[in-house]
Amino acid sequence: MRLILKAIERIQGTLRYKLLTLVLFPILLIMPIALVMAIYWGANATYDQLYLKVNTDLSVSHDIFRRLRQDYLTQLGRLSESYPFRTALEEHRLDSVASQLQALKQASGFSYLRLLDRHGKAFVPAADGKAGKPSPSLLAALNGEPQVGVEIFSQADLARLSPALARRYHLPLIDTDKARPTRRKIEDRAMMIRAVYPVHDLRGELVAVLEGAVSLNGNFAFVDTIRDLVYGPGSLPEGSIGTVTVFLDDVRISTNVPLRPGERALGTRVSNEVRTQVLDHGEVWIDSAFVVNDWYLSAYEPIVDVQGKRVGMLYAGFLEEPFRTELWQALGILVLLFLILMGISSLLAVVGAKSIFKPLEKMSQVVRATREGEAKRVGVIASRDEIGELAREFDAMLDLLAERNRQIKLWADQLEDKVRERTAELQSKNQDLQRTIHALRETRQQLVVAEKLAALGELTAGVAHEINNPTAVMLGNLDVIAAELGPAVTPVEHEIRLVMEQIYRIKDIVNNLLQYARPNEYAGYLSHVDVNGVVEHTLALVRHLRKKAEFDIVLSLLATSAVEINEQELQQVLVNLVVNAVHAIQAAGGVIEISTRDWNDQGVVIEVEDNGEGMDAAAISRVFNPFYSTKREGEGSGLGLSVSYGLIRRYGGNITVTSQPGQGARFSVWLLSHPVMASDEETIEEQLHAMHPL
């Protein structure tokens, strides 16, 4: 760590090392990053191509597998359409039919080959009457349509054909890492390519069905044929081998993947990951995989039988090691070339930077000497580039600077006295100007506040007069309507009552406006008040609010001092705070806590706290502004807190609020035992300033 810190200090203190760092930084950092990205991209691109190749190999293997199945069906068709076979069948020369079947079986590698009658029972080569294995293929052939497909024969199916044939299928399972756990120890089923071909007489009527099957269990000729076609000479690099495997379920029943030298990996099983994707989900699996005892680039696809069930897998893949070796050799050559190029680039950068270091270091020495008061110059520089020109201009600049300093010193001596005189004069004028600006600012503020108060008072009085007259007329006419209608008013009695309630609500809003704009006309008499008693009386006034919301009220009345205030006005403030708390509670389980306590020796603090939705900083800054409300439309006028604030401030007290969104709000009312009465204009002015600060 010390060495690193010393190296950083050396770089920061020397231009030589800074310049070398700037020059070598792209080489030593960016180029390695580019190399890593090239290696990453090259490796990914190489493996993408290899995955594409193995996918293509699997597609070719699939096509060859399909063509081989079709070839077996074609051979049956040729036999059934041949003249000797049809003649022998029509003449019921079953020995000749059996000999032709035996010849085809030996030539084509059929595991069994027989002739079935129109009912699906065998009568050639053995007239044992055993029916063929029921399947959609046999049913289609009996209906005159040739079919070929993969079918799984159980031991019972094989024994019905031939006990000797059943004994041939006994493959021990080899424990394989990562394979799905199983209790099976042997695989005694057979995967057959079963071909059935209808035989017609000269009149076109179905007379028999030719049935043959080729077992894929241990059929090395089958998988080797596919491998030779897919991985022919020159398709893979030297040292790599191509492999093809047929799986019954997840067991290798025919493969050319070696288990040991000279032994094929029969009985080994595929990993559970491959089995799940291919057999369970029916998807193709392509990736690099550890197959038996080495890494192969592998591709698997499901084998589907004639009933549409996934009964096995077809695999194609090739040994990965030769490709991996070639890739690492190429990447090693790339790294070696990069190191050589980086070394050459670094050497050229260091050598080329030396022509820049010397002039710059000389200029640095001159700067340090000049700072210490020495008259030193860079001198003769052999370099003719921009750095050399800069050094020569630097010397010329120092000479010119020395001359200018001499002249400035002379002028400074002459101007010093004049500056002193002008400074004293300017300080005096600045003080006068500051006093004038302060007086103008106070005057403007007073004029604006007075204008707002006058406009608000005039507007409020006019609005109250214009609204109170129509409301009085409406109330009177509603009373007349109710009286005139008599009993007939019953159907609309509820609506008339609602209209009257809304009219009284309008009158309350007007009264709040008047009380806000002209609080001196509504001020009451002062008395010594027990705040605990006022809180208890207030609860009786808000008891009806429980019909609108479920909430609990918790009291903690600890105040012992009395305050001097109008009791009705204090009760009005508390009602407003409790009503606001009820509106803030949205769900059941709401709690409103009302507490009182002594405020040192000055008075009493009343706190109303709820666990409602709370307020953010923006809402808190505006909560006491007139007409500001967070309630839904029709639930409030926005004057309650503004009027309450004005009432408390008039008695020298204060209302504060603390809240956070989602955590409720707490309003604190600070009351003085001996209030210092403030003028109504001062309280309104304070609120106006909160709304429109100057």
Side-chain angles (χ1 to χ4, degrees), residues 328-347:
W328 285 116
Q329 288 177 352
L331 294 178
I333 294 173
L334 177 63
V335 172
L336 180 61
L337 290 175
F338 165 79
L339 293 176
I340 294 173
L341 290 175
M342 190 171 66
I344 295 174
S345 300
S346 301
L347 181 61

Side-chain angles (χ1 to χ4, degrees), residues 448-465:
V448 171
V449 171
E451 183 178 352
K452 289 180 180 179
L453 286 173
L456 181 62
E458 184 177 352
L459 176 63
T460 303
V463 168
H465 177 74

Side-chain angles (χ1 to χ4, degrees), residues 651-666:
Y651 295 110
N654 194 13
I655 301 181
T656 60
V657 57
T658 57
S659 177
Q660 289 185 357
Q663 298 185 13
R666 181 171 66 245

Side-chain angles (χ1 to χ4, degrees), residues 41-267:
W41 176 84
N44 284 346
T46 301
Y47 272 88
D48 287 343
Q49 293 299 318
L50 294 176
Y51 293 149
L52 181 62
K53 172 177 171 50
V54 75
N55 186 33
T56 304
D57 296 342
L58 180 63
S59 299
V60 174
S61 301
H62 175 86
D63 291 339
I64 296 172
F65 189 21
R66 179 180 54 81
R67 287 202 303 271
L68 290 176
R69 294 199 305 266
Q70 195 64 37
D71 288 345
Y72 290 124
L73 182 64
T74 301
Q75 293 180 37
L76 293 185
R78 289 173 183 171
L79 177 63
S80 67
E81 299 294 335
S82 67
Y83 178 77
F85 181 82
R86 297 183 66 173
T87 302
L89 184 62
E90 289 183 2
E91 294 176 358
H92 297 285
R93 289 186 285 112
L94 299 182
D95 292 341
S96 176
V97 171
S99 64
Q100 294 182 54
L101 293 178
Q102 183 65 24
L104 178 61
K105 176 181 177 182
Q106 293 178 353
S108 300
F110 281 98
S111 300
Y112 74 88
L113 186 62
R114 60 181 184 165
L115 190 67
L116 308 178
D117 60 16
R118 288 181 298 176
H119 302 291
K121 296 182 178 180
F123 64 91
V124 174
D128 53 10
K130 294 181 179 180
K133 180 179 182 294
S135 73
S137 299
L138 179 59
L139 182 62
L142 292 174
N143 290 325
E145 182 180 353
Q147 290 288 329
V148 63
V150 175
E151 297 189 29
I152 306 301
F153 283 66
S154 65
Q155 275 290 305
D157 297 330
L158 295 170
R160 189 164 54 248
L161 291 170
S162 168
L165 182 64
R167 287 192 294 271
R168 288 170 48 188
Y169 298 96
H170 188 87
L171 177 64
L173 300 185
I174 299 175
D175 291 336
T176 308
D177 292 339
K178 300 182 180 180
R180 181 177 296 181
T182 181
R183 294 182 178 179
R184 294 192 304 147
K185 299 300 181 181
I186 61 170
E187 180 56 74
D188 57 1
R189 297 175 297 167
M191 178 180 284
M192 299 280 193
I193 297 178
R194 185 184 185 191
V196 286
Y197 201 95
V199 180
H200 299 86
D201 60 12
L202 296 177
R203 294 183 299 276
E205 296 181 359
L206 179 71
V207 295
V209 172
L210 193 58
E211 176 195 16
V214 178
S215 172
L216 297 181
N217 295 55
N219 194 338
F220 300 146
F222 183 83
V223 293
D224 290 347
T225 299
I226 298 178
R227 179 199 61 190
D228 295 340
L229 292 173
V230 175
Y231 299 107
S235 62
L236 295 174
E238 185 177 357
S240 182
I241 60 172
T243 56
V244 175
T245 300
V246 174
F247 289 84
L248 174 54
D249 198 7
D250 62 349
V251 180
R252 291 180 176 87
I253 60 172
S254 185
T255 181
N256 39 51
V257 174
L259 178 61
R260 285 179 288 272
E263 182 180 356
R264 306 196 184 207
L266 296 178

Side-chain angles (χ1 to χ4, degrees), residues 531 559 561-563 596-599 602-606 669-671 673:
V531 294
S561 301
V563 295
T596 64
R597 56 184 172 84
D598 292 335
W599 174 22
Q602 302 183 54
V604 173
V605 179
I606 305 175
V669 181
W670 307 79
L671 301 174
S673 299

Side-chain angles (χ1 to χ4, degrees), residues 397-624:
M397 182 188 67
L398 289 176
D399 293 337
L400 181 60
L401 183 60
E403 176 62 22
R404 292 290 187 267
N405 284 339
R406 187 186 63 80
Q407 294 178 2
I408 290 172
K409 191 174 183 307
L410 179 61
W411 295 337
D413 293 339
Q414 296 175 0
L415 292 176
E416 187 175 352
D417 294 337
K418 293 183 179 180
V419 171
R420 210 169 12 246
E421 295 175 1
R422 298 296 185 187
T423 301
E425 184 179 349
L426 287 175
Q427 289 178 348
S428 176
K429 290 184 178 180
N430 282 337
Q431 292 175 356
D432 294 340
L433 181 59
Q434 289 295 332
R435 287 193 292 270
T436 303
I437 292 174
H438 182 70
L440 288 174
R441 188 172 296 164
E442 289 185 349
T443 303
R444 183 179 64 179
Q445 183 175 353
Q446 293 174 1
L447 289 174
V448 171
V449 171
E451 183 178 352
K452 289 180 180 179
L453 286 173
L456 181 62
E458 184 177 352
L459 176 63
T460 303
V463 168
H465 177 74
E466 293 299 329
I467 293 177
N468 278 332
N469 287 341
T471 54
V473 173
M474 286 188 287
L475 286 173
N477 287 331
L478 285 173
D479 290 337
V480 173
I481 291 172
E484 289 295 330
L485 290 176
V489 79
T490 302
V492 294
E493 184 177 4
H494 177 67
E495 285 73 13
I496 292 176
R497 186 168 59 255
L498 288 178
V499 173
M500 295 179 71
E501 288 177 356
Q502 295 305 311
I503 294 174
Y504 281 118
R505 187 166 178 269
I506 293 172
K507 293 176 69 65
D508 290 339
I509 293 174
V510 172
N511 290 334
N512 284 338
L513 282 171
L514 291 174
Q515 189 171 357
Y516 171 73
R518 298 177 179 178
N520 58 337
E521 297 180 6
Y522 293 85
Y525 295 101
L526 302 183
S527 61
H528 290 282
V529 175
D530 177 13
V531 294
N532 296 338
V534 175
V535 170
E536 293 175 349
H537 293 162
T538 302
L539 296 183
L541 297 178
V542 298
R543 187 176 299 127
H544 67 284
L545 295 177
R546 293 183 183 273
K547 299 178 180 178
K548 298 181 179 180
E550 296 182 8
F551 61 90
D552 294 326
I553 295 180
V554 178
L555 296 181
S556 177
L557 308 179
L558 304 177
T560 59
S561 301
V563 295
E564 190 174 357
I565 196 172
N566 182 271
E567 182 175 351
Q568 285 72 26
E569 292 180 349
L570 176 58
Q571 193 171 71
Q572 178 183 352
V573 172
L574 294 179
V575 169
N576 280 331
L577 295 179
V578 174
V579 170
N580 287 341
V582 172
H583 281 285
I585 297 172
Q586 295 182 343
V591 177
I592 299 175
E593 297 182 11
I594 304 177
S595 62
T596 64
R597 56 184 172 84
D598 292 335
W599 174 22
N600 297 331
D601 295 331
Q602 302 183 54
V604 173
V605 179
I606 305 175
E607 293 183 340
V608 179
E609 182 175 359
D610 62 75
N611 60 348
E613 58 187 3
M615 296 179 289
D616 55 19
I620 292 174
S621 64
R622 302 171 57 195
V623 71
F624 294 113

